[in-house]
Amino acid sequence: MENPGIQEETLHLCRIAGTGSYVPERVVTNADFENYIHNLFNQRLFIILTFLCLFIMVYCVAIYSSNPKDVTYLYFAIGLLFVIIYFYDIGAENLLLDFNLQRALCRACLPGSMCFIMLFLNRFFNRKYHKQILIGTIVFLVIDVVLYVLLRNQNALVELLFNVMLVPVLITIVYGFVTSIQGVKKHEPYSVNILIGFSAASFLAVHDVA
């Protein structure tokens, strides 16, 4: 979600370029219009990704419901829930909460989602240290949310915190590639699918925060 003031100005510039019947307060360049179209495309793209993730999340919940003892797909569904919140905030045009609070909570969702994706990978490939990763995820998530909420009105610190919280994102990317590649080498079921899907998701994650 962009700053409302900036978003309103951009839309205002588009209306000028579209009608040609309104005298602008300043010269509207092609770069202004192209920037607006680029932002609009990104917003629509993230809304599409939001609903795509929602569909996959519902599917994972259904799989978990059929076998509640296996939490593998529950972790994936929780991770997707955080991704849905994060993507929706980027693509939505309206605020649901106070701007600073919504930005803080939604940014906290990105590293939180990656922690649950790590748990999913750990269970899917049946790796060690499940309990340790689970405890670490819960502790980290609490710290993550509390810090974002406390610093929500300090823009510079929020940006710094966002960069710092990319560390678990990078750790999960490394962990995902290591476990999935090991799975491929051991010919574990669906390991190739996981590697391909994880590679695509990692590309989107890196592209988004770059």
Side-chain angles (χ1 to χ4, degrees):
M1 176 69 65
E2 302 292 338
N3 185 298
I6 296 176
Q7 188 176 15
E8 181 179 354
E9 180 184 359
T10 306
L11 292 174
H12 179 63
L13 291 175
C14 181
R15 286 196 295 270
I16 295 170
T19 63
S21 60
Y22 184 85
V23 179
E25 296 180 0
R26 68 181 181 85
V27 176
V28 181
T29 65
N30 289 335
D32 290 326
F33 184 73
E34 291 174 2
N35 183 62
Y36 168 72
I37 295 300
H38 176 75
N39 291 336
L40 183 64
F41 174 78
N42 282 341
Q43 284 183 308
R44 297 296 180 266
L45 175 62
F46 277 106
I47 290 297
I48 293 173
L49 291 175
T50 297
F51 283 98
L52 176 62
C53 290
L54 179 61
F55 173 79
I56 299 174
M57 185 191 75
V58 172
Y59 178 74
C60 290
V61 171
I63 295 177
Y64 168 71
S65 300
S66 65
N67 184 17
K69 292 183 179 180
D70 185 1
V71 296
T72 302
Y73 286 95
L74 175 62
Y75 288 146
F76 194 59
I78 296 174
L80 284 175
L81 176 60
F82 284 116
V83 171
I84 288 169
I85 296 172
Y86 181 74
F87 280 174
Y88 178 80
D89 178 66
I90 296 176
E93 298 180 356
N94 300 312
L95 291 169
L96 300 177
L97 302 171
D98 170 74
F99 174 77
N100 288 335
L101 180 59
Q102 179 168 320
R103 178 184 61 171
L105 292 176
C106 293
R107 287 196 171 191
C109 287
L110 179 60
S113 69
M114 298 306 287
C115 290
F116 280 98
I117 296 300
M118 180 182 289
L119 282 166
F120 161 75
L121 292 168
N122 179 271
R123 290 297 80 207
F124 189 90
F125 291 109
N126 196 27
R127 296 298 187 258
K128 299 179 180 179
Y129 309 114
H130 169 240
K131 291 184 178 180
Q132 291 88 335
I133 296 176
L134 177 59
I135 293 173
T137 295
I138 295 173
V139 172
F140 171 80
L141 190 59
V142 171
I143 296 174
D144 180 40
V145 173
V146 169
L147 285 177
Y148 266 111
V149 172
L150 290 177
L151 300 175
R152 65 184 183 278
N153 295 321
Q154 303 181 52
N155 292 334
L157 291 179
V158 168
E159 294 298 329
L160 176 61
L161 181 61
F162 181 77
N163 292 331
V164 172
M165 290 301 181
L166 291 179
V167 173
V169 175
L170 297 177
I171 292 176
T172 300
I173 290 175
V174 173
Y175 182 82
F177 277 117
V178 170
T179 54
S180 57
I181 290 174
Q182 288 176 344
V184 172
K185 290 181 178 179
K186 295 179 180 179
H187 303 286
E188 297 183 26
Y190 304 107
S191 55
V192 174
N193 303 48
I194 293 294
L195 178 59
I196 294 174
F198 189 78
S199 299
S202 298
F203 172 78
L204 288 174
V206 172
H207 177 268
D208 176 56
V209 301

